[in-house]
Amino acid sequence: MLLLAAAFVVAFVLLLYMVSPLISPKSLKLPGAHVVVTGGSSGIGKCIAIECYKQGAFITLIARDENKLLQTKKEIEKYSVNDKQVVLCISVDVSKDYEQVENVLKQAQEKLGPVDMLVNCAGTSVTGKFEDIEVNSFERLMAVNYLGSVYPSRAVIATMKERRMGRIVFVSSQAGQLGLFGYTAYSPTKFALRGLAEALQMEVKPYNVYVTVAYPPDTDTPGFAEESKTKPLETKLISETSSVCQAEQVARVIVKDAIQGNFNSSVGSDGYMLSILTSGMSPVTSITEGLQQVVCMGIFRIIGLFYLGSFDSIVRRCMMQREKSSADKTE
């Protein structure tokens, strides 16, 4: 009886693997495609632009700093695979004026053709205790990290639906899957991208347009280095429980998942576990992905509880050390 049950399970899994490609979206071909990357002058955004350019794409880089954009343009052009490829640079703040964002993207499409893939990578971070963070920092992060993704997406979505093809990528963060000490201003803006992505994917899926949410871990970028200068002790100790990834590695994973039309994009074993744990009602790209979530959810929840327990222990220990230090000073 047990052998029969095991055989049935194996046969069912094999059937899922056979059927899965039939319901998955067709991969987007990057050679000749027009890829727009916001926040593309440095960090993960720059590496994504390089990865797409290596595969034959035409690139539009959008960022605020014109000098950085021009430097990045020269760096990207070294990876050209044919003499027809173009790197277009546009200096604009994608979080301030929707009409301005819409106009510059119209100009980009007039020069390089309709946008095949938009990668929303513009973002910033502020760390600190909730009561220590200036109120205007909450407003600024929501504008940059959330509206800075809404505006470019809003500007290209109609054309993608008309053409019945396209990819939109929202670069969130593991802090957009799990709220952590010190990220009360940052995490909500990255959680918001998940809600936007789920709702938008349901709207555009019938038009063969697919949305990807990327959840990179701590990544060795200029932004991460700047953020680390102001991290509270608790945040630093919690961060030490995971390794720092290279931007090139993260970019390769995001590009691969985006062209395949995967909704979730994660890096490493911790990223895989978090994607399973936080899958909730998010869409799946294949039956096998859904099966993995069903099978692994329970055991990953147990592991996750151990992580949460260790994080709480770190926070409590730091609090007791501060109280002890304050008591010693008053004596």
Side-chain angles (χ1 to χ4, degrees):
M1 192 66 178
L2 287 175
L3 286 174
L4 184 62
F8 176 79
V9 170
V10 171
F12 179 66
V13 171
L14 288 174
L15 178 63
L16 288 178
Y17 273 98
M18 291 171 64
V19 173
S20 178
L22 300 178
I23 65 169
S24 299
K26 293 180 66 174
S27 293
L28 176 71
K29 299 185 184 302
L30 282 182
H34 181 190
V35 178
V36 175
V37 184
T38 71
S41 62
S42 65
I44 295 174
K46 181 178 79 171
C47 291
I48 287 174
I50 290 173
E51 183 64 26
C52 292
Y53 200 68
K54 284 179 178 179
Q55 297 187 40
F58 289 69
I59 305 296
T60 294
L61 290 178
I62 298 179
R64 290 174 299 176
D65 192 318
E66 190 170 359
N67 290 329
K68 280 187 179 180
L69 278 171
L70 294 175
Q71 292 172 4
T72 302
K73 172 183 167 72
K74 293 178 181 178
E75 186 176 344
I76 293 174
E77 287 175 337
K78 296 176 184 177
Y79 298 94
S80 173
V81 295
N82 63 66
D83 57 5
K84 294 181 180 179
Q85 283 179 276
V86 176
V87 178
L88 177 66
C89 293
I90 299 176
S91 176
V92 67
D93 187 336
V94 293
S95 67
K96 284 191 174 179
D97 185 341
Y98 170 70
E99 289 187 1
Q100 187 179 22
V101 174
E102 186 180 35
N103 288 334
V104 298
L105 280 168
K106 281 182 180 178
Q107 294 170 21
Q109 293 184 91
E110 288 171 0
K111 293 179 180 179
L112 301 183
V115 176
D116 296 291
M117 182 161 80
L118 167 66
V119 183
N120 293 291
C121 204
T124 187
S125 175
V126 171
T127 56
K129 293 181 182 178
F130 181 66
E131 66 271 23
D132 294 337
I133 299 174
E134 297 291 336
V135 171
N136 61 8
S137 292
F138 289 87
E139 298 168 351
R140 180 169 63 88
L141 261 65
M142 186 57 75
V144 175
N145 295 349
Y146 179 68
L147 294 179
S149 292
V150 170
Y151 291 168
S153 302
R154 179 68 172 74
V156 303
I157 196 67
T159 304
M160 287 186 174
K161 289 171 70 175
E162 288 172 5
R163 298 175 66 223
R164 296 293 197 271
M165 64 173 293
R167 298 287 189 272
I168 294 180
V169 181
F170 297 108
V171 178
S172 180
S173 164
Q174 286 188 353
Q177 296 173 294
L178 169 67
L180 293 172
F181 190 106
Y183 286 111
T184 52
Y186 179 71
S187 279
T189 66
K190 294 299 187 176
F191 269 87
L193 291 177
R194 161 73 175 270
L196 170 63
E198 288 191 4
L200 182 59
Q201 178 63 99
M202 192 174 290
E203 287 189 21
V204 301
K205 188 175 180 180
Y207 298 90
N208 196 38
V209 177
Y210 287 88
V211 177
T212 297
V213 188
Y215 300 104
D218 286 343
T219 306
D220 186 12
T221 64
F224 178 70
E226 192 65 27
E227 172 194 314
S228 298
K229 295 177 182 178
T230 59
K231 278 183 179 178
L233 176 61
E234 292 88 341
T235 309
K236 290 180 180 179
L237 293 174
I238 289 172
S239 297
E240 288 174 359
T241 61
S242 60
S243 58
V244 177
C245 288
Q246 296 301 308
E248 295 82 1
Q249 175 194 2
V250 173
R252 283 193 296 270
V253 172
I254 292 174
V255 171
K256 179 183 176 183
D257 286 329
I259 63 178
Q260 291 178 349
N262 295 334
F263 184 78
N264 286 299
S265 179
S266 60
V267 179
S269 56
D270 285 348
Y272 177 74
M273 183 180 73
L274 275 173
S275 288
I276 296 288
L277 279 173
T278 60
S279 56
M281 288 293 289
S282 65
V284 294
T285 310
S286 67
I287 297 175
T288 52
E289 182 184 0
L291 183 64
Q292 289 172 14
Q293 292 169 357
V294 171
V295 171
C296 297
M297 181 73 77
I299 186 65
F300 283 175
R301 177 58 175 165
I302 294 172
I303 296 171
L305 290 173
F306 278 105
Y307 271 100
L308 289 172
S310 67
F311 296 161
D312 286 342
S313 177
I314 289 171
V315 173
R316 192 177 300 109
R317 189 165 64 247
C318 289
M319 182 193 71
M320 293 173 66
Q321 288 175 352
R322 285 197 180 93
E323 289 179 346
K324 184 177 183 300
S325 177
S326 297
D328 291 343
K329 288 179 180 179
T330 56
E331 289 179 358

mmCIF file with all atom_site columns, all heavy atoms in Angstrom, residues 262-282:
data_model
loop_
_atom_site.group_PDB
_atom_site.id
_atom_site.type_symbol
_atom_site.label_atom_id
_atom_site.label_alt_id
_atom_site.label_comp_id
_atom_site.label_asym_id
_atom_site.label_entity_id
_atom_site.label_seq_id
_atom_site.pdbx_PDB_ins_code
_atom_site.Cartn_x
_atom_site.Cartn_y
_atom_site.Cartn_z
_atom_site.occupancy
_atom_site.B_iso_or_equiv
_atom_site.pdbx_formal_charge
_atom_site.auth_seq_id
_atom_site.auth_comp_id
_atom_site.auth_asym_id
_atom_site.auth_atom_id
_atom_site.pdbx_PDB_model_num
ATOM 1   N N   . ASN A 1 262 ? 8.566  35.272 -13.970 1.00 0.00 ? 262 ASN A N   1
ATOM 2   C CA  . ASN A 1 262 ? 8.324  34.825 -12.591 1.00 0.00 ? 262 ASN A CA  1
ATOM 3   C C   . ASN A 1 262 ? 7.869  35.999 -11.731 1.00 0.00 ? 262 ASN A C   1
ATOM 4   O O   . ASN A 1 262 ? 8.440  37.095 -11.814 1.00 0.00 ? 262 ASN A O   1
ATOM 5   C CB  . ASN A 1 262 ? 9.595  34.229 -11.993 1.00 0.00 ? 262 ASN A CB  1
ATOM 6   C CG  . ASN A 1 262 ? 10.021 32.959 -12.705 1.00 0.00 ? 262 ASN A CG  1
ATOM 7   O OD1 . ASN A 1 262 ? 9.196  32.258 -13.293 1.00 0.00 ? 262 ASN A OD1 1
ATOM 8   N ND2 . ASN A 1 262 ? 11.309 32.649 -12.678 1.00 0.00 ? 262 ASN A ND2 1
ATOM 9   N N   . PHE A 1 263 ? 6.871  35.760 -10.885 1.00 0.00 ? 263 PHE A N   1
ATOM 10  C CA  . PHE A 1 263 ? 6.393  36.837 -10.023 1.00 0.00 ? 263 PHE A CA  1
ATOM 11  C C   . PHE A 1 263 ? 7.383  37.134 -8.905  1.00 0.00 ? 263 PHE A C   1
ATOM 12  O O   . PHE A 1 263 ? 7.668  38.292 -8.602  1.00 0.00 ? 263 PHE A O   1
ATOM 13  C CB  . PHE A 1 263 ? 5.023  36.486 -9.417  1.00 0.00 ? 263 PHE A CB  1
ATOM 14  C CG  . PHE A 1 263 ? 4.449  37.604 -8.588  1.00 0.00 ? 263 PHE A CG  1
ATOM 15  C CD1 . PHE A 1 263 ? 3.841  38.693 -9.198  1.00 0.00 ? 263 PHE A CD1 1
ATOM 16  C CD2 . PHE A 1 263 ? 4.520  37.573 -7.203  1.00 0.00 ? 263 PHE A CD2 1
ATOM 17  C CE1 . PHE A 1 263 ? 3.324  39.741 -8.441  1.00 0.00 ? 263 PHE A CE1 1
ATOM 18  C CE2 . PHE A 1 263 ? 4.005  38.609 -6.440  1.00 0.00 ? 263 PHE A CE2 1
ATOM 19  C CZ  . PHE A 1 263 ? 3.404  39.696 -7.056  1.00 0.00 ? 263 PHE A CZ  1
ATOM 20  N N   . ASN A 1 264 ? 7.908  36.099 -8.268  1.00 0.00 ? 264 ASN A N   1
ATOM 21  C CA  . ASN A 1 264 ? 8.869  36.273 -7.181  1.00 0.00 ? 264 ASN A CA  1
ATOM 22  C C   . ASN A 1 264 ? 10.286 36.066 -7.684  1.00 0.00 ? 264 ASN A C   1
ATOM 23  O O   . ASN A 1 264 ? 10.550 35.154 -8.464  1.00 0.00 ? 264 ASN A O   1
ATOM 24  C CB  . ASN A 1 264 ? 8.601  35.272 -6.053  1.00 0.00 ? 264 ASN A CB  1
ATOM 25  C CG  . ASN A 1 264 ? 7.381  35.628 -5.241  1.00 0.00 ? 264 ASN A CG  1
ATOM 26  O OD1 . ASN A 1 264 ? 7.320  36.683 -4.622  1.00 0.00 ? 264 ASN A OD1 1
ATOM 27  N ND2 . ASN A 1 264 ? 6.382  34.758 -5.240  1.00 0.00 ? 264 ASN A ND2 1
ATOM 28  N N   . SER A 1 265 ? 11.192 36.904 -7.219  1.00 0.00 ? 265 SER A N   1
ATOM 29  C CA  . SER A 1 265 ? 12.605 36.743 -7.533  1.00 0.00 ? 265 SER A CA  1
ATOM 30  C C   . SER A 1 265 ? 13.404 36.878 -6.243  1.00 0.00 ? 265 SER A C   1
ATOM 31  O O   . SER A 1 265 ? 13.351 37.915 -5.575  1.00 0.00 ? 265 SER A O   1
ATOM 32  C CB  . SER A 1 265 ? 13.066 37.798 -8.540  1.00 0.00 ? 265 SER A CB  1
ATOM 33  O OG  . SER A 1 265 ? 14.448 37.656 -8.829  1.00 0.00 ? 265 SER A OG  1
ATOM 34  N N   . SER A 1 266 ? 14.103 35.823 -5.873  1.00 0.00 ? 266 SER A N   1
ATOM 35  C CA  . SER A 1 266 ? 14.873 35.842 -4.625  1.00 0.00 ? 266 SER A CA  1
ATOM 36  C C   . SER A 1 266 ? 16.261 35.280 -4.871  1.00 0.00 ? 266 SER A C   1
ATOM 37  O O   . SER A 1 266 ? 16.508 34.583 -5.855  1.00 0.00 ? 266 SER A O   1
ATOM 38  C CB  . SER A 1 266 ? 14.167 35.028 -3.536  1.00 0.00 ? 266 SER A CB  1
ATOM 39  O OG  . SER A 1 266 ? 14.011 33.682 -3.954  1.00 0.00 ? 266 SER A OG  1
ATOM 40  N N   . VAL A 1 267 ? 17.173 35.566 -3.948  1.00 0.00 ? 267 VAL A N   1
ATOM 41  C CA  . VAL A 1 267 ? 18.570 35.153 -4.082  1.00 0.00 ? 267 VAL A CA  1
ATOM 42  C C   . VAL A 1 267 ? 18.977 34.351 -2.853  1.00 0.00 ? 267 VAL A C   1
ATOM 43  O O   . VAL A 1 267 ? 18.728 34.768 -1.717  1.00 0.00 ? 267 VAL A O   1
ATOM 44  C CB  . VAL A 1 267 ? 19.498 36.378 -4.226  1.00 0.00 ? 267 VAL A CB  1
ATOM 45  C CG1 . VAL A 1 267 ? 20.960 35.947 -4.348  1.00 0.00 ? 267 VAL A CG1 1
ATOM 46  C CG2 . VAL A 1 267 ? 19.094 37.211 -5.426  1.00 0.00 ? 267 VAL A CG2 1
ATOM 47  N N   . GLY A 1 268 ? 19.598 33.204 -3.070  1.00 0.00 ? 268 GLY A N   1
ATOM 48  C CA  . GLY A 1 268 ? 20.146 32.416 -1.964  1.00 0.00 ? 268 GLY A CA  1
ATOM 49  C C   . GLY A 1 268 ? 19.107 31.614 -1.205  1.00 0.00 ? 268 GLY A C   1
ATOM 50  O O   . GLY A 1 268 ? 17.899 31.726 -1.439  1.00 0.00 ? 268 GLY A O   1
ATOM 51  N N   . SER A 1 269 ? 19.603 30.811 -0.255  1.00 0.00 ? 269 SER A N   1
ATOM 52  C CA  . SER A 1 269 ? 18.721 29.926 0.516   1.00 0.00 ? 269 SER A CA  1
ATOM 53  C C   . SER A 1 269 ? 17.778 30.701 1.431   1.00 0.00 ? 269 SER A C   1
ATOM 54  O O   . SER A 1 269 ? 16.603 30.355 1.564   1.00 0.00 ? 269 SER A O   1
ATOM 55  C CB  . SER A 1 269 ? 19.564 28.938 1.335   1.00 0.00 ? 269 SER A CB  1
ATOM 56  O OG  . SER A 1 269 ? 20.473 29.633 2.178   1.00 0.00 ? 269 SER A OG  1
ATOM 57  N N   . ASP A 1 270 ? 18.286 31.767 2.066   1.00 0.00 ? 270 ASP A N   1
ATOM 58  C CA  . ASP A 1 270 ? 17.418 32.590 2.920   1.00 0.00 ? 270 ASP A CA  1
ATOM 59  C C   . ASP A 1 270 ? 16.319 33.245 2.091   1.00 0.00 ? 270 ASP A C   1
ATOM 60  O O   . ASP A 1 270 ? 15.167 33.333 2.515   1.00 0.00 ? 270 ASP A O   1
ATOM 61  C CB  . ASP A 1 270 ? 18.235 33.671 3.630   1.00 0.00 ? 270 ASP A CB  1
ATOM 62  C CG  . ASP A 1 270 ? 19.076 33.117 4.773   1.00 0.00 ? 270 ASP A CG  1
ATOM 63  O OD1 . ASP A 1 270 ? 18.857 31.953 5.149   1.00 0.00 ? 270 ASP A OD1 1
ATOM 64  O OD2 . ASP A 1 270 ? 19.947 33.854 5.269   1.00 0.00 ? 270 ASP A OD2 1
ATOM 65  N N   . GLY A 1 271 ? 16.688 33.720 0.893   1.00 0.00 ? 271 GLY A N   1
ATOM 66  C CA  . GLY A 1 271 ? 15.716 34.343 0.015   1.00 0.00 ? 271 GLY A CA  1
ATOM 67  C C   . GLY A 1 271 ? 14.645 33.367 -0.434  1.00 0.00 ? 271 GLY A C   1
ATOM 68  O O   . GLY A 1 271 ? 13.459 33.709 -0.501  1.00 0.00 ? 271 GLY A O   1
ATOM 69  N N   . TYR A 1 272 ? 15.060 32.137 -0.740  1.00 0.00 ? 272 TYR A N   1
ATOM 70  C CA  . TYR A 1 272 ? 14.106 31.107 -1.151  1.00 0.00 ? 272 TYR A CA  1
ATOM 71  C C   . TYR A 1 272 ? 13.126 30.812 -0.020  1.00 0.00 ? 272 TYR A C   1
ATOM 72  O O   . TYR A 1 272 ? 11.915 30.720 -0.231  1.00 0.00 ? 272 TYR A O   1
ATOM 73  C CB  . TYR A 1 272 ? 14.857 29.838 -1.548  1.00 0.00 ? 272 TYR A CB  1
ATOM 74  C CG  . TYR A 1 272 ? 13.965 28.674 -1.917  1.00 0.00 ? 272 TYR A CG  1
ATOM 75  C CD1 . TYR A 1 272 ? 13.277 28.658 -3.130  1.00 0.00 ? 272 TYR A CD1 1
ATOM 76  C CD2 . TYR A 1 272 ? 13.805 27.593 -1.052  1.00 0.00 ? 272 TYR A CD2 1
ATOM 77  C CE1 . TYR A 1 272 ? 12.456 27.591 -3.471  1.00 0.00 ? 272 TYR A CE1 1
ATOM 78  C CE2 . TYR A 1 272 ? 12.986 26.527 -1.376  1.00 0.00 ? 272 TYR A CE2 1
ATOM 79  C CZ  . TYR A 1 272 ? 12.320 26.530 -2.591  1.00 0.00 ? 272 TYR A CZ  1
ATOM 80  O OH  . TYR A 1 272 ? 11.503 25.472 -2.923  1.00 0.00 ? 272 TYR A OH  1
ATOM 81  N N   . MET A 1 273 ? 13.651 30.684 1.205   1.00 0.00 ? 273 MET A N   1
ATOM 82  C CA  . MET A 1 273 ? 12.795 30.388 2.349   1.00 0.00 ? 273 MET A CA  1
ATOM 83  C C   . MET A 1 273 ? 11.798 31.524 2.596   1.00 0.00 ? 273 MET A C   1
ATOM 84  O O   . MET A 1 273 ? 10.601 31.282 2.818   1.00 0.00 ? 273 MET A O   1
ATOM 85  C CB  . MET A 1 273 ? 13.643 30.162 3.602   1.00 0.00 ? 273 MET A CB  1
ATOM 86  C CG  . MET A 1 273 ? 12.814 29.782 4.828   1.00 0.00 ? 273 MET A CG  1
ATOM 87  S SD  . MET A 1 273 ? 13.805 29.510 6.314   1.00 0.00 ? 273 MET A SD  1
ATOM 88  C CE  . MET A 1 273 ? 14.251 31.192 6.731   1.00 0.00 ? 273 MET A CE  1
ATOM 89  N N   . LEU A 1 274 ? 12.276 32.773 2.523   1.00 0.00 ? 274 LEU A N   1
ATOM 90  C CA  . LEU A 1 274 ? 11.387 33.908 2.749   1.00 0.00 ? 274 LEU A CA  1
ATOM 91  C C   . LEU A 1 274 ? 10.305 33.993 1.675   1.00 0.00 ? 274 LEU A C   1
ATOM 92  O O   . LEU A 1 274 ? 9.157  34.343 1.961   1.00 0.00 ? 274 LEU A O   1
ATOM 93  C CB  . LEU A 1 274 ? 12.198 35.208 2.774   1.00 0.00 ? 274 LEU A CB  1
ATOM 94  C CG  . LEU A 1 274 ? 12.836 35.592 4.108   1.00 0.00 ? 274 LEU A CG  1
ATOM 95  C CD1 . LEU A 1 274 ? 13.741 36.809 3.934   1.00 0.00 ? 274 LEU A CD1 1
ATOM 96  C CD2 . LEU A 1 274 ? 11.771 35.876 5.155   1.00 0.00 ? 274 LEU A CD2 1
ATOM 97  N N   . SER A 1 275 ? 10.659 33.673 0.428   1.00 0.00 ? 275 SER A N   1
ATOM 98  C CA  . SER A 1 275 ? 9.670  33.710 -0.646  1.00 0.00 ? 275 SER A CA  1
ATOM 99  C C   . SER A 1 275 ? 8.568  32.683 -0.422  1.00 0.00 ? 275 SER A C   1
ATOM 100 O O   . SER A 1 275 ? 7.395  32.944 -0.694  1.00 0.00 ? 275 SER A O   1
ATOM 101 C CB  . SER A 1 275 ? 10.349 33.465 -1.998  1.00 0.00 ? 275 SER A CB  1
ATOM 102 O OG  . SER A 1 275 ? 11.112 34.584 -2.373  1.00 0.00 ? 275 SER A OG  1
ATOM 103 N N   . ILE A 1 276 ? 8.955  31.517 0.095   1.00 0.00 ? 276 ILE A N   1
ATOM 104 C CA  . ILE A 1 276 ? 7.954  30.494 0.415   1.00 0.00 ? 276 ILE A CA  1
ATOM 105 C C   . ILE A 1 276 ? 7.074  30.956 1.570   1.00 0.00 ? 276 ILE A C   1
ATOM 106 O O   . ILE A 1 276 ? 5.839  30.901 1.518   1.00 0.00 ? 276 ILE A O   1
ATOM 107 C CB  . ILE A 1 276 ? 8.633  29.156 0.783   1.00 0.00 ? 276 ILE A CB  1
ATOM 108 C CG1 . ILE A 1 276 ? 9.415  28.584 -0.413  1.00 0.00 ? 276 ILE A CG1 1
ATOM 109 C CG2 . ILE A 1 276 ? 7.596  28.153 1.292   1.00 0.00 ? 276 ILE A CG2 1
ATOM 110 C CD1 . ILE A 1 276 ? 8.595  28.034 -1.520  1.00 0.00 ? 276 ILE A CD1 1
ATOM 111 N N   . LEU A 1 277 ? 7.729  31.446 2.637   1.00 0.00 ? 277 LEU A N   1
ATOM 112 C CA  . LEU A 1 277 ? 7.000  31.844 3.842   1.00 0.00 ? 277 LEU A CA  1
ATOM 113 C C   . LEU A 1 277 ? 6.027  32.990 3.589   1.00 0.00 ? 277 LEU A C   1
ATOM 114 O O   . LEU A 1 277 ? 4.961  33.056 4.210   1.00 0.00 ? 277 LEU A O   1
ATOM 115 C CB  . LEU A 1 277 ? 7.994  32.262 4.934   1.00 0.00 ? 277 LEU A CB  1
ATOM 116 C CG  . LEU A 1 277 ? 8.648  31.141 5.733   1.00 0.00 ? 277 LEU A CG  1
ATOM 117 C CD1 . LEU A 1 277 ? 9.721  31.705 6.651   1.00 0.00 ? 277 LEU A CD1 1
ATOM 118 C CD2 . LEU A 1 277 ? 7.601  30.402 6.562   1.00 0.00 ? 277 LEU A CD2 1
ATOM 119 N N   . THR A 1 278 ? 6.395  33.907 2.696   1.00 0.00 ? 278 THR A N   1
ATOM 120 C CA  . THR A 1 278 ? 5.577  35.100 2.484   1.00 0.00 ? 278 THR A CA  1
ATOM 121 C C   . THR A 1 278 ? 4.760  35.017 1.189   1.00 0.00 ? 278 THR A C   1
ATOM 122 O O   . THR A 1 278 ? 4.241  36.025 0.721   1.00 0.00 ? 278 THR A O   1
ATOM 123 C CB  . THR A 1 278 ? 6.467  36.365 2.436   1.00 0.00 ? 278 THR A CB  1
ATOM 124 O OG1 . THR A 1 278 ? 7.415  36.241 1.358   1.00 0.00 ? 278 THR A OG1 1
ATOM 125 C CG2 . THR A 1 278 ? 7.224  36.537 3.736   1.00 0.00 ? 278 THR A CG2 1
ATOM 126 N N   . SER A 1 279 ? 4.646  33.809 0.628   1.00 0.00 ? 279 SER A N   1
ATOM 127 C CA  . SER A 1 279 ? 3.946  33.669 -0.652  1.00 0.00 ? 279 SER A CA  1
ATOM 128 C C   . SER A 1 279 ? 2.473  34.048 -0.542  1.00 0.00 ? 279 SER A C   1
ATOM 129 O O   . SER A 1 279 ? 1.912  34.655 -1.448  1.00 0.00 ? 279 SER A O   1
ATOM 130 C CB  . SER A 1 279 ? 4.088  32.244 -1.187  1.00 0.00 ? 279 SER A CB  1
ATOM 131 O OG  . SER A 1 279 ? 3.632  31.291 -0.239  1.00 0.00 ? 279 SER A OG  1
ATOM 132 N N   . GLY A 1 280 ? 1.830  33.703 0.578   1.00 0.00 ? 280 GLY A N   1
ATOM 133 C CA  . GLY A 1 280 ? 0.447  34.119 0.803   1.00 0.00 ? 280 GLY A CA  1
ATOM 134 C C   . GLY A 1 280 ? -0.462 33.855 -0.384  1.00 0.00 ? 280 GLY A C   1
ATOM 135 O O   . GLY A 1 280 ? -0.591 32.734 -0.855  1.00 0.00 ? 280 GLY A O   1
ATOM 136 N N   . MET A 1 281 ? -1.067 34.921 -0.914  1.00 0.00 ? 281 MET A N   1
ATOM 137 C CA  . MET A 1 281 ? -1.956 34.823 -2.071  1.00 0.00 ? 281 MET A CA  1
ATOM 138 C C   . MET A 1 281 ? -1.296 35.356 -3.340  1.00 0.00 ? 281 MET A C   1
ATOM 139 O O   . MET A 1 281 ? -1.968 35.736 -4.291  1.00 0.00 ? 281 MET A O   1
ATOM 140 C CB  . MET A 1 281 ? -3.250 35.585 -1.800  1.00 0.00 ? 281 MET A CB  1
ATOM 141 C CG  . MET A 1 281 ? -4.157 34.914 -0.789  1.00 0.00 ? 281 MET A CG  1
ATOM 142 S SD  . MET A 1 281 ? -4.829 33.343 -1.400  1.00 0.00 ? 281 MET A SD  1
ATOM 143 C CE  . MET A 1 281 ? -5.977 33.937 -2.648  1.00 0.00 ? 281 MET A CE  1
ATOM 144 N N   . SER A 1 282 ? 0.035  35.393 -3.339  1.00 0.00 ? 282 SER A N   1
ATOM 145 C CA  . SER A 1 282 ? 0.728  35.890 -4.528  1.00 0.00 ? 282 SER A CA  1
ATOM 146 C C   . SER A 1 282 ? 0.594  34.893 -5.672  1.00 0.00 ? 282 SER A C   1
ATOM 147 O O   . SER A 1 282 ? 0.482  33.678 -5.448  1.00 0.00 ? 282 SER A O   1
ATOM 148 C CB  . SER A 1 282 ? 2.208  36.142 -4.229  1.00 0.00 ? 282 SER A CB  1
ATOM 149 O OG  . SER A 1 282 ? 2.873  34.935 -3.915  1.00 0.00 ? 282 SER A OG  1
#
